[in-house]
Amino acid sequence: MTINRHLEEFHGLPAFTFPDADDKSPRATSLPAPESVAWRVAVDAYESGEEWEDAFARFLAAVDTERVKALIVGAWSDVYDSSPSAVIAALVAARDRLPALRGLFLADIVMEECEISWIVQGDVSPLLEAFPDLEEFGVRGGNQLVFPTLRHERLRTLTVETGGMPVAAVRGVAGSDLPALEGLDLWLGTSEYGGDADVADLEPFFAGTRLPGLTRLGLRNSEIQDAICTALASAPVVARLTHLDISMGVLTDDGATALLSGQPLTHLKVLDAHHNYLGAEVRKRLLETLEPAGVTVRADQDDAESDEEEDGTVWRFVAVGE
């Protein structure tokens, strides 16, 4: 699976792409109410006819940004080679112009613009420091991603989408104090694309002590999905979750059986395990154990693929890698 569609909504609002400089259509001259959409600001990923900072300056001039609630950063110029440092600097400089901003997503970039593991990232902490009232933050791309340990009082949802999340960034999130966080979604990826975290690095998430408000947890798109599920079987945080997402990774019968053999999961509202490598019997057990208790279970295999070598070695793949 690849990411081939831009966000259609964010922070509960429909996404609207701010028009290009040369767009003279009615859409460009009749903009929606500032608070009614999640504004997507992007430029051509390959041609530097306009830099992202210039497009953002046009946005600041055209829209009553004091009423903007959600902002999506799309492609900037030369995304294969350039980090979003100038983008982040422009956003930080405009923080006083965006007092109502509650949702921010960095790098809504699809495969035609740049594959997820080739998106050059950087240190995203200046954004969280500049916008202390943010309630939702998302970032796509793990290449050179930096997420140091920090504290944010009001962040409720954090999403990090990668084909490989660096262990330092995983530890940074794990060590952060996020007292208001309700939803955490980490795409951990594979070692081939820089995802070098081990299950031990996830221990703070399993304990949940730094995330006292957490009710929705996603640890997914991982080649160590079985080890994650084995740890979740006895993880204290599970007892207070309503949503558990273990999807998109290399989940086999071993991981699912360990999870089912651990603490009860019947209190969950949703268990998402789509894109998996489960056998028919284990999938049946998963459904028969949880669905009668009212748990919505997604255990379809989707496009999960595997390759078998002549010597019998089987290679299984996460949903989103390169």
Side-chain angles (χ1 to χ4, degrees), residues 157-225:
T157 303
L158 174 61
T159 301
V160 183
E161 300 176 353
T162 80
M165 188 170 174
V167 65
V170 173
R171 291 171 179 168
V173 176
S176 293
D177 288 317
L178 304 169
L181 200 73
E182 299 173 358
L184 175 65
D185 186 13
L186 302 182
W187 298 15
L188 298 167
T190 71
S191 56
E192 182 178 3
Y193 293 109
D196 52 350
D198 192 83
V199 69
D201 299 305
L202 308 177
E203 178 56 37
F205 303 129
F206 301 141
T209 52
R210 291 184 181 272
L211 306 173
L214 194 70
T215 59
R216 305 184 309 278
L217 175 62
L219 297 172
R220 53 182 178 144
N221 198 51
S222 174
E223 61 187 357
I224 61 168
Q225 210 67 55

Side-chain angles (χ1 to χ4, degrees), residues 36-310:
S36 67
V37 297
W39 294 88
R40 182 175 183 272
V41 180
V43 299
D44 192 292
Y46 303 107
E47 298 182 7
S48 301
E50 183 179 36
E51 298 296 326
W52 190 94
E53 308 90 88
D54 297 326
F56 185 57
R58 288 192 298 106
F59 167 75
L60 293 175
V63 177
D64 181 1
T65 56
E66 291 194 353
R67 295 160 56 192
V68 169
K69 294 181 179 180
L71 185 61
I72 300 169
V73 175
W76 51 89
S77 298
D78 302 319
V79 291
Y80 273 98
D81 301 311
S82 302
S83 80
S85 57
V87 172
I88 291 172
L91 288 166
V92 171
R95 57 186 166 189
D96 293 337
R97 302 280 302 275
L98 296 159
L101 191 68
R102 297 295 180 268
L104 178 59
F105 191 97
L106 178 65
D108 178 27
I109 295 171
V110 298
M111 61 173 294
E112 291 83 3
E113 298 165 324
C114 186
E115 296 281 6
I116 187 171
S117 292
W118 294 92
I119 298 170
V120 179
Q121 272 297 345
D123 186 351
V124 299
S125 62
L127 293 173
L128 291 165
E129 294 167 358
F131 296 98
D133 291 328
L134 272 187
E135 297 174 355
E136 182 170 5
F137 179 72
V139 57
R140 180 175 298 158
N143 182 12
Q144 301 181 43
L145 175 67
V146 176
F147 195 115
T149 298
L150 52 81
R151 181 174 178 86
H152 196 288
E153 298 286 347
R154 299 192 179 184
L155 196 67
R156 297 174 61 183
T157 303
L158 174 61
T159 301
V160 183
E161 300 176 353
T162 80
M165 188 170 174
V167 65
V170 173
R171 291 171 179 168
V173 176
S176 293
D177 288 317
L178 304 169
L181 200 73
E182 299 173 358
L184 175 65
D185 186 13
L186 302 182
W187 298 15
L188 298 167
T190 71
S191 56
E192 182 178 3
Y193 293 109
D196 52 350
D198 192 83
V199 69
D201 299 305
L202 308 177
E203 178 56 37
F205 303 129
F206 301 141
T209 52
R210 291 184 181 272
L211 306 173
L214 194 70
T215 59
R216 305 184 309 278
L217 175 62
L219 297 172
R220 53 182 178 144
N221 198 51
S222 174
E223 61 187 357
I224 61 168
Q225 210 67 55
D226 280 351
I228 289 171
C229 287
T230 299
L232 285 168
S234 59
V237 72
V238 172
R240 54 182 164 89
L241 297 180
T242 59
H243 294 66
L244 178 59
D245 194 334
I246 51 173
S247 67
M248 298 171 57
V250 183
L251 175 63
T252 72
D253 287 354
D254 290 342
T257 299
L259 186 62
L260 286 170
S261 300
Q263 62 188 304
L265 302 173
T266 51
H267 64 287
L268 294 173
K269 292 182 179 179
V270 177
L271 176 68
D272 193 341
H274 79 272
H275 182 98
N276 59 70
Y277 297 89
L278 302 181
E281 288 301 316
V282 172
R283 183 179 295 103
K284 180 181 178 182
R285 180 186 169 194
L286 188 69
L287 296 173
E288 291 181 345
T289 300
L290 299 180
E291 286 190 332
V295 182
T296 297
V297 180
R298 186 179 177 192
D300 47 304
Q301 290 183 306
D302 293 340
D303 297 323
E305 298 179 354
S306 59
D307 288 336
E308 185 172 354
E309 302 284 357
E310 291 184 359

